Amino acid sequence: MGSKIRFVVPVALLEVMERILPDFEQVSGDRFDLSIMLNPEVPGFIAGGAPWSVAASNPWHLSEIDATARGPVRPLGRSPLAICALGKSGPVARDADGISQVLRGGRRIGVTGAGTSGHTFKRLLGDLGFDSAFDDQVIPLDGGEPMKRLLGGDLDLAVLPLTNIAPVPGVHPVAICPWHMEVHVDFALCLHPNADAGTTAFADWLLSPERDATLAALGLERDR
């Protein structure tokens, strides 16, 4: 019988992990117990003594627990901030003018208010020169709610990391922020100091170049 891997997963990576973890379970016999939360909540969750084996989050959040983790924080990948809508794939804006035009067309725009992507979106608006121009249209929501509300027809657009969009059927990105705009979301991985062999094997599997193409298709690009 395999081991149980207690995996702390940020909402921004939930759909990606739901797609790929069964592959590891099938080959290893291990099983995952997921603790799902927003990126900023990860350090406090671990500091509070909750059981965990491996954690993913933004590198600056994992650096807060670096002293208690095994080995260094390891880069996992990065995901561009993107804007999505319901329906079939169509043109995707990839520059400042196109992204601005997409935003102007949204009457109800959902964002994760307290998450990394919500703060990153505020920075994007400032960079585009909008500042408070969309205060009436932007709706701050709890983690997971922007996609849920979009799928339910309550929103015109949702602003999320591409990792929350690419794995979800029925939605498509209408804008993807290019890397040079520096509004992407970085992710990293760290292990519990007492992580067992199964957890260590999973981390090596997840970080292997063999996963690069699969993760890229799900919105997570390696920075090798």
Side-chain angles (χ1 to χ4, degrees):
M1 178 180 292
S3 61
K4 179 164 68 172
I5 300 173
R6 293 183 172 91
F7 191 5
V8 182
V9 177
V11 173
L13 288 176
L14 178 58
E15 289 86 357
V16 171
M17 295 306 164
E18 288 177 338
R19 289 282 291 272
I20 68 169
L21 294 185
D23 294 340
F24 183 78
E25 290 179 330
Q26 185 173 8
V27 299
S28 69
D30 297 329
R31 293 293 177 265
F32 289 92
D33 181 5
L34 302 185
S35 296
I36 303 159
M37 62 200 70
L38 295 175
N39 278 297
E41 297 171 344
V42 172
F45 176 81
I46 291 174
W52 67 287
S53 308
V54 58
S57 187
N58 309 128
W60 52 91
H61 289 310
L62 294 186
S63 69
E64 297 180 38
I65 60 170
D66 191 22
T68 62
R70 178 196 292 177
V73 172
R74 302 164 72 181
L76 177 57
R78 60 182 185 171
S79 183
L81 192 68
I83 305 169
C84 64
L86 281 175
K88 298 180 179 179
S89 297
V92 180
R94 297 180 184 270
D95 59 26
D97 288 342
I99 294 166
S100 298
Q101 184 174 351
V102 167
L103 289 171
R104 290 189 186 98
R107 293 179 296 108
R108 298 164 300 171
I109 305 171
V111 301
T112 306
T116 302
S117 60
H119 294 299
T120 305
F121 179 58
K122 289 181 181 178
R123 192 167 75 249
L124 172 66
L125 290 179
D127 291 345
L128 294 174
F130 290 132
D131 296 319
S132 60
F134 289 95
D135 284 354
D136 292 338
Q137 291 104 305
V138 173
I139 305 171
L141 298 167
D142 293 336
E145 285 296 310
M147 181 59 71
K148 184 184 298 184
R149 296 274 295 272
L150 181 70
L151 291 170
D154 296 329
L155 299 173
D156 303 305
L157 302 170
V159 182
L160 295 161
L162 190 57
T163 47
N164 285 135
I165 299 169
V168 180
V171 301
H172 71 282
V174 291
I176 298 176
C177 298
W179 302 120
H180 71 79
M181 295 184 75
E182 297 185 350
V183 289
H184 54 273
V185 180
D186 293 304
F187 297 101
L189 199 74
C190 70
L191 297 178
H192 190 280
N194 298 322
D196 62 14
T199 302
T200 302
F202 165 64
D204 291 341
W205 178 87
L206 182 60
L207 296 170
S208 168
E210 294 180 5
R211 308 282 89 73
D212 287 3
T214 298
L215 291 174
L218 297 172
L220 185 67
E221 180 176 310
R222 306 291 202 187
D223 188 13
R224 299 193 186 278

